[in-house]
Structure formats: C-alpha cells, structure tokens
Amino acid sequence: MSTTSPPPTPNVRPTVAIVGRPNVGKSTLFNRLTGTRDALVSDLPGLTRDRRGGNAIMGGHSIIVVDTAGLEESTKGSIAARMRAKSEEALKAADAILFVIDARDGITPADKEFARIARNSSRPIILVANKAEGRAGEGGVIEAFSLGLGDPVAISAEHGEGLTDLQSDILAILGLTPIASKKKTRRGSDREAPGTDTFGFEHIDADNDDDAPRRPLRVCIIGRPNAGKSTLVNALLGEERMITGPEAGLTRDAVWTDTIWNDRPIRLWDTAGLRRKARIEEKAEKLSVSDAIRAINFAEVCVLLIDAERPFEQQDLIIADRVISEGRALVIAVNKWDVIADKNKMLKDLRETVTESLAMVPGVAMVTLSARSGRGVDTLRKSIIDAYEIWNRRVPTNPLNRWLDTALTRHSPPAVSGRRIKIRYITQASSRPPTFVAFCSQAGRLPDSYVKYLVNSLRDAFDLPGTPIRFNLRKPDNPFAED
C-alpha cells in the first residue's frame, strides 16, 4: 500500500476508484464492497463500459466506490479509447485508487503500462491482487511487488476472502479511523441504510413516504438501441458522463448518477437498448437487457426515448407496455427532432399513434427534443416532475364517492342475468400508481368496457392524465349484502 493521504474534508464522502485492465474482477470487487449486485459480472472481458458509483460502509464511514471500464490500449476514436478516457476521468476525481490485477495471470505488459498511468494521477494507490486463492495465485502476488506500488493486498472478490484487510487499508489510506458500525448485513459488512435493496434503491412505503422530498426521484431512460439514451442522460446531467457514439449497444450496465433539478435530488439511470427478444443472442446483451428491465421495475418515472427518424416501431410499444404493466409513470421523449423536415405532420402522426396504441394511459406526456443540442431538455425535466406528481396523487374519499354517484347516474352498470350490478362505495387504496378499490355486487361479472368507462371518467374528474391507474373490484364485506 502506498503512503497515507490527508484526511478527507469533513462532511464530504471520499471516493475510491477501482481500476485495472479488463476481466481482472473489478465489478465483482465493486459488488462486494458495496454489498449489492449493481455491476454486471461475467467472464466476458470488457463488459463494463461506463463508470458506476455505489455506496460502501467501511468501519462506520460512508465511502463512494467507483467501478470503471478496463484500461485497454486503444486507437484514437475507438470505443476502447472512449472507455479509457472515462476511466481516466474517474482516476482524477478519486481520493484513492484500487489498482486491481489478476494474480493467476501474473503481471502483464498492460498492467505495467496502466500502473504508470495510475502513478501519474498523483492519487494514493492500493495494489489489489485478485483471484489469489489457492496455489494458482501465489506467483502473481509475488510478481505484483515489481509494479512498485507497495505491498499487494491478496484477495478473492468472488469468494469474499481478504476483504477485511482491504477495507482496513482503504480506511488507512483515506486517513479514517473505524467507528462503531450501524448495522450488520448477512454478508457481515457494515451497511448504513437498512432497506436498501440489491439494485441501489431504497424500499419505499408508498403510503408512508415522509422522506420523499429529500430522497432522489428515480428516473430511468429506456428505449431501443441507438435512440440516443446516453446522449440524453449527458444532456440532463449537464456533463459528458456517459460514453456516446454512433455505434448501437454502447451502454451495457444500467448506470445511475445523482443530480439536482431545481433543488430536487434526482437519481438518473442510463440503460442498455432493448431489442426484440428473438434478436438477443450474445451473453453480454442478455445481461444488459436483464439489467435494463430491473431498472424499469424499480424506477418511479420511465422516459421512453423514441428515434424521430424511426418513430414508434413495434419494440417501442412493447417497452411502453412493460412500463405501464409495472405501474410506473411514463413520459415519451422524441429525440433527433432537429432533423425532421415536416415537424407538424410528424407531430400529428405521433400523437395519433400514442392515442391509438397507448390507450391505457391517455394524455401521456410527449416531448420533442434534440439530446445532442439540448433543445427541449428543460421541457422534458418539467414533464418528468409533473408525471411523478400525478403518479403520487391521492384523491380524498368524499370527492371520490360524489364522482361515483355522478358517473353511475350518467351511465348505469349493466344487468347480468337479469340482476343489476350495484357499485356502492369507492376508495383510493394507494398511490404510486393511483390504485382504487370499488365495492360492488357481482364484482367478477362487471364488463371490462364499463370498468374502462369508470377509469376514463375518473381520469377526467381528478386530472390524472398519462399515468397507469389500477381499478380493483371487491365484494362488500357485509355477509348480508346482496350478492
């Protein structure tokens, strides 16, 4: 381990960057330190492309750990060169570096080259010899001394060996003294936020969410490959955070970044492009798609990014249906709007498609923009916040039942087998998305067309456009009520 750096500034979480050549186990180590499964892990080299941050609790201290793409020798302008540039940015921003080698492979020329880059960053370095378990790794641990980065810390990230020593060295290099831990997890590491799940999200009680104004609003950017998702994320962040380029499928991990919009904390996810299932063949893409779907499942607002040059293909509608079925707030963003010649005609066609194909969420927000130039991005931010507020909306019970009386008077429920269905009472069970429960006789026999009428009337009456609404029917609890 190299010399100890000055203690970090109080109230500022120190950052530790994990770097090294591809396939040495950086993402596995990231997952171990953060106690999550956020980073995709595979034996495929170069799976990680964008840098990813996560929170680790070590010795009672909160530390930001950053997973980076593998440092590779590359030609100018290539994907590898762009990945390397982002990794070098992470080096400059870090307070300390974990330089990871594969002890089974020993020291390679690439390790020597990138050790030089790490030294030139002027950041304190911990040399980590991963995959050191068993005799196969002994030679590599010994060879690691030749890099001139101090004594290597021998670990096995996959099996969790040597992590206690590594965490002690991380605290020492940051000038931190261990304090009493707050909670022990099943893995035996300290964690600060009980209830945090394996994808970096806090579990939230939809009806008792007092921390909503303080915690980040979770926004996920989704869509087909090459629609411009990473470019849009960079525009929303106001910095070149994600790797972008003309190649389809650049993004593999679902990578989140925290930002602030008008004093509101936002956690923004960039995701891999989602193609038709039949066309997904490579293992890396299967992992990426799985990660993107997890992001949809845990997001609060999903922005479906459409390519204006290829608007609303079948896959776009499939993705939108996935968002709606998961009950997430939806915003549609149409990218590359600046290249469209007849904008009025295109806008009319898009609105007709949305009305016909997404009839289950009438009034869904649609924003035209250019992620590259930034035009329309501010409008998108506002639409995201508006969609979130509608998604969270609660309607008092008294106005709900006054609306129900009016709706029933305007259009009475049908009779089934000569018996009129009676709807007696309605209440909102929860929000996120708005969920309503109506108590009625013959609950299982009310036609879908009438339920659709009630839902659309409910949207109009209480201003709930573009958000999924769940409308459940129940039999009355009173055993003497008419069935």
Side-chain angles (χ1 to χ4, degrees):
M1 185 180 75
S2 60
T3 56
T4 302
S5 66
T9 305
N11 300 322
V12 176
R13 289 193 295 169
T15 299
V16 176
I18 304 175
V19 302
R21 61 182 174 83
N23 217 31
V24 295
K26 298 184 297 298
S27 294
T28 304
L29 177 58
F30 172 89
N31 288 344
R32 280 287 183 182
L33 292 175
T34 59
T36 69
R37 293 193 298 271
D38 284 5
L40 296 183
V41 175
S42 172
D43 55 4
L44 296 171
L47 186 62
T48 301
R49 284 178 171 169
D50 291 293
R51 69 184 191 264
R52 173 198 294 274
N55 185 60
I57 304 298
M58 303 183 198
H61 296 279
S62 178
I63 297 170
I64 298 173
V65 179
V66 179
D67 185 22
T68 66
L71 293 166
E72 297 184 75
E73 296 179 353
S74 55
T75 57
K76 186 176 181 180
S78 66
I79 295 176
R82 279 171 268 161
M83 292 164 57
R84 177 168 172 167
K86 295 300 180 184
S87 294
E88 290 179 355
E89 288 177 11
L91 285 175
K92 295 175 183 177
D95 297 297
I97 297 168
L98 302 185
F99 187 88
V100 184
I101 65 165
D102 186 332
R104 295 181 181 178
D105 290 345
I107 302 302
T108 68
D111 288 323
K112 294 179 181 178
E113 169 63 17
F114 301 131
R116 181 187 62 79
I117 295 173
R119 278 194 297 268
N120 290 341
S121 69
S122 301
R123 298 293 187 268
I125 302 168
I126 298 175
L127 177 58
V128 181
N130 190 28
K131 307 180 187 179
E133 71 277 14
R135 292 185 178 180
E138 291 178 358
V141 174
I142 296 172
E143 285 185 43
F145 285 89
S146 66
L147 292 175
L149 297 176
D151 296 352
V153 181
I155 71 165
S156 171
E158 182 176 0
H159 298 100
E161 298 175 5
L163 294 181
T164 300
D165 291 339
L166 177 59
Q167 291 183 356
S168 297
D169 284 353
I170 291 172
L171 292 174
I173 208 169
L174 293 172
L176 300 174
T177 302
I179 57 178
S181 62
K182 296 184 178 181
K183 184 174 181 177
K184 291 285 185 179
T185 66
R186 286 177 297 179
R187 288 184 175 87
S189 60
D190 297 333
R191 291 292 298 280
E192 185 175 49
T196 299
D197 73 6
T198 57
F199 201 48
F201 297 104
E202 296 85 5
H203 292 300
I204 297 168
D205 181 350
D207 297 309
N208 188 23
D209 192 11
D210 296 334
D211 291 332
R214 296 188 295 273
R215 63 167 178 75
L217 190 166
R218 306 189 303 244
V219 180
C220 176
I221 310 298
I222 55 176
R224 288 183 285 113
N226 219 27
K229 296 181 294 298
S230 295
T231 303
L232 176 58
V233 169
N234 287 341
L236 290 168
L237 293 174
E239 62 172 301
E240 293 298 313
R241 179 67 171 75
M242 304 299 171
I243 295 175
T244 60
E247 303 90 348
L250 273 179
T251 301
R252 286 177 170 172
D253 294 81
V255 179
W256 61 263
T257 306
D258 285 338
T259 187
I260 301 291
W261 297 348
N262 295 328
D263 298 325
R264 177 68 197 255
I266 304 291
R267 181 158 291 176
L268 191 62
W269 261 263
D270 185 19
T271 65
L274 296 170
R275 297 197 297 165
R276 286 191 294 117
K277 188 174 182 180
R279 301 177 66 179
I280 299 172
E281 298 176 354
E282 295 183 4
K283 182 178 179 180
E285 187 173 4
K286 290 180 181 179
L287 291 170
S288 299
V289 168
S290 176
D291 216 28
I293 290 174
R294 276 202 301 163
I296 293 173
N297 294 345
F298 285 100
E300 294 170 305
V301 181
C302 291
V303 178
L304 174 58
L305 191 63
I306 305 295
D307 187 337
E309 296 181 296
R310 298 163 53 204
F312 281 115
E313 295 186 355
Q314 184 63 27
Q315 182 64 9
D316 294 316
L317 299 176
I318 291 173
I319 296 170
D321 184 68
R322 175 79 188 216
V323 172
I324 295 165
S325 65
E326 288 295 333
R328 306 299 172 232
L330 175 66
V331 175
I332 297 172
V334 184
N335 192 23
K336 307 178 186 179
W337 193 245
D338 49 334
V339 303
I340 300 301
D342 192 343
K343 291 180 170 57
N344 290 332
K345 182 180 183 305
M346 174 65 78
L347 191 59
K348 180 182 177 182
D349 292 344
L350 288 172
R351 285 175 174 162
E352 287 179 356
T353 301
V354 169
T355 301
E356 294 173 3
S357 301
L358 300 178
M360 64 289 284
V361 284
V364 63
M366 185 172 66
V367 180
T368 58
L369 55 85
S370 170
R372 189 174 298 279
S373 69
R375 181 174 297 177
V377 171
D378 287 341
T379 303
L380 178 61
R381 289 192 184 100
K382 182 179 184 305
S383 295
I384 290 170
I385 299 297
D386 290 346
Y388 175 76
E389 290 177 351
I390 293 171
W391 189 65
N392 275 276
R393 189 165 295 165
R394 293 196 65 90
V395 182
T397 300
N398 286 341
L400 260 181
N401 283 278
R402 287 196 296 269
W403 159 80
L404 179 62
D405 290 341
T406 301
L408 295 177
T409 301
R410 186 182 299 122
H411 186 182
S412 299
V416 178
S417 301
R419 299 173 60 191
R420 178 72 62 181
I421 297 177
K422 297 181 180 179
I423 304 177
R424 297 180 173 83
Y425 181 77
I426 187 172
T427 186
Q428 183 171 359
S430 65
S431 57
R432 309 162 58 88
T435 301
F436 301 90
V437 178
F439 296 88
C440 69
S441 63
Q442 306 181 75
R445 306 182 74 177
L446 191 67
D448 291 341
S449 59
Y450 193 81
V451 174
K452 184 177 181 180
Y453 156 71
L454 291 176
V455 170
N456 288 337
S457 175
L458 187 62
R459 285 186 189 279
D460 294 339
F462 297 106
D463 193 23
L464 297 169
T467 196
I469 288 180
R470 291 175 174 164
F471 195 94
N472 301 316
L473 299 170
R474 291 184 187 173
K475 293 174 58 177
D477 294 332
N478 183 358
F480 299 102
E482 180 187 352
D483 189 14

